[in-house]
Amino acid sequence: MRHLISIMLFGFLGSFSLAQDQPRMRLEDKLRIKEAMDIAEAYGDDLWAGFNEVPFTLLLVMDSIEYLIHHPSPSVDFISLGVDPMLGAEVFHRARVFPPQLLATFPAVEGQSTIVVGTPENTGKRSAEWILTVLHEHFHQYQSAAPDHYRMVDSLDLSGGDRTGMWMLNYPFPYQDERVLSHYANYMAALAAAVKDRGTALLSGYKEARERFKSALDEKDYRYFSFQLWQEGLARYTEYRFADLVSDRSLPQDLPDDGTTYTDVRDELIASAAGIESCDLAVTQRACFYEVGLAEGLLLDRLAPEWREQYLRRKFFVEQYMPE
């Protein structure tokens, strides 16, 4: 009997030790992820039809560990931590593979479109900003879930044979071309004025300036610009729309207080759209297109309120949504 008790005690202590060795997600990380998912659930389908039909698969990258959530079939290097009651999903972990500063969405695990995101501390984002950025990334999952998405992207003929997707970041756009920069500056001045104007008096100037900028680019470069506005710029616009929808919502009370609110982020985003002229294309390059797309989205909201219904049907050229 004493021998049996010893075996049972050893087994119990071994199980206890193993449980103690299991990593655990921080409460604040779970709260932020749940908040992003709750906001999507409450508002996503009203903003974009079918938004909540897309899996919210997310890989949280810590300093030495990665946590995977809402993945249907993780690769064999992931170990289950069981279903988390707060997240309502099974959580898996593995040793860190991706950089802890990453903020991206791509087929990171077994071909599944996955938000790969570092913590607010490692990505330099405040809580409300981080939550809205996760919603920005979920919008990329929404884009890529369309059945024809990858075929349509390939049809743009912009990759130059690159199958990694890095062409989206490294495409040789003429950021230093003086003629392009001159027409871009005029386009940005006209776009900013049209966004600020509550009427339509400035629209003709905006459309003319946009056409002149288009004429300064060759056809392929304009396809790249348009694709960036459609993909990244309207994802930034989606951040703004979510921020506006939850502007009177408080952050989860158990989050560390970093002084941020959804209203703060909304106001910063609207200021970036109104001040689009200050984004120096020669210096900031592709990142400017995020703000251009945000401004174009805001203009579309005023001129063609139903434009989002066309988004997945008429791809890559946002001027298609503008009324004549």
Side-chain angles (χ1 to χ4, degrees):
M1 177 64 72
R2 182 180 302 170
H3 182 64
L4 179 60
I5 291 173
S6 297
I7 291 173
M8 291 173 66
L9 181 61
F10 179 79
F12 170 76
L13 291 173
S15 298
F16 179 77
S17 175
L18 183 62
Q20 289 291 93
D21 290 341
Q22 291 290 321
R24 293 184 180 181
M25 288 183 70
R26 302 183 306 179
L27 174 62
E28 57 263 41
D29 293 323
K30 291 196 285 187
L31 285 168
R32 292 187 192 100
I33 293 168
K34 184 177 187 300
E35 175 76 350
M37 292 178 176
D38 286 349
I39 291 171
E41 182 66 29
Y43 302 102
D45 284 342
D46 290 335
L47 191 54
W48 297 104
F51 193 75
N52 288 318
E53 296 173 13
V54 178
F56 211 132
T57 305
L58 184 145
L59 185 71
L60 179 68
V61 184
M62 310 295 289
D63 290 336
S64 60
I65 293 172
E66 295 174 348
Y67 294 102
L68 182 65
I69 303 157
H70 285 295
H71 197 292
S73 53
S75 51
V76 295
D77 52 339
F78 281 97
I79 301 169
S80 176
L81 293 171
V83 174
D84 185 275
M86 179 181 293
L87 296 172
E90 189 171 7
V91 177
F92 301 85
H93 75 92
R94 71 179 178 189
R96 182 174 67 79
V97 171
F98 293 107
Q101 300 81 21
L102 197 58
L103 274 170
T105 298
F106 56 99
V109 180
E110 297 292 281
Q112 175 83 7
S113 179
T114 303
I115 299 167
V116 183
V117 57
T119 63
E121 299 94 323
N122 286 334
T123 57
K125 291 189 178 292
R126 301 156 297 168
S127 285
E129 188 180 14
W130 190 92
I131 290 162
L132 291 163
T133 298
V134 167
L135 289 165
H136 170 127
E137 296 300 329
H138 187 47
F139 181 69
H140 288 322
Q141 292 177 313
Y142 173 75
Q143 292 169 325
S144 63
D148 63 347
H149 178 75
Y150 291 105
R151 177 181 62 80
M152 292 290 289
V153 171
D154 284 345
S155 75
L156 290 171
D157 189 27
L158 296 171
S159 69
D162 171 30
R163 308 308 298 175
T164 69
M166 290 303 292
W167 64 266
M168 297 185 191
L169 306 180
N170 300 328
Y171 179 86
F173 189 82
Y175 295 112
Q176 309 300 327
D177 185 289
E178 290 298 331
R179 181 167 176 264
V180 169
L181 291 173
S182 175
H183 284 293
Y184 176 82
N186 292 334
Y187 166 33
M188 290 304 98
L191 176 58
V195 168
K196 295 171 191 173
D197 181 46
R198 301 314 303 169
T200 58
L202 298 175
L203 282 179
S204 60
Y206 151 75
K207 289 181 178 180
E208 289 172 8
R210 197 183 197 286
E211 280 299 313
R212 285 195 293 271
F213 171 68
K214 179 180 178 179
S215 70
L217 298 171
D218 69 30
E219 185 181 349
K220 192 170 184 178
D221 291 340
Y222 183 70
R223 289 201 304 274
Y224 177 76
F225 169 77
S226 292
F227 173 70
Q228 289 295 317
L229 260 59
W230 185 91
Q231 176 151 295
E232 294 293 353
L234 293 179
R236 179 60 55 82
Y237 159 86
T238 299
E239 274 185 71
Y240 166 77
R241 287 301 307 272
F242 276 121
D244 191 45
L245 287 165
V246 300
S247 60
D248 59 354
R249 180 182 177 119
S250 298
L251 287 164
Q253 63 179 4
D254 290 328
L255 277 180
D257 184 6
D258 57 12
T260 182
T261 68
Y262 293 121
T263 302
D264 293 334
V265 181
R266 179 200 64 185
D267 293 347
E268 290 164 7
L269 288 168
I270 200 72
S272 71
I276 187 64
E277 297 165 271
S278 65
C279 193
D280 188 334
L281 184 63
V283 175
T284 311
Q285 299 192 359
R286 171 181 169 272
C288 285
F289 301 155
Y290 287 59
E291 312 310 326
V292 179
L294 168 59
E296 295 262 9
L298 294 174
L299 195 57
L300 283 166
D301 280 348
R302 191 167 87 241
L303 300 174
E306 307 302 319
W307 71 270
R308 292 191 305 278
E309 296 176 6
Q310 306 177 58
Y311 181 74
L312 292 179
R313 290 187 287 106
R314 306 177 70 189
K315 294 184 176 180
F316 306 145
F317 298 90
V318 299
E319 64 266 30
Q320 296 178 108
Y321 315 137
M322 192 72 70
E324 295 295 332

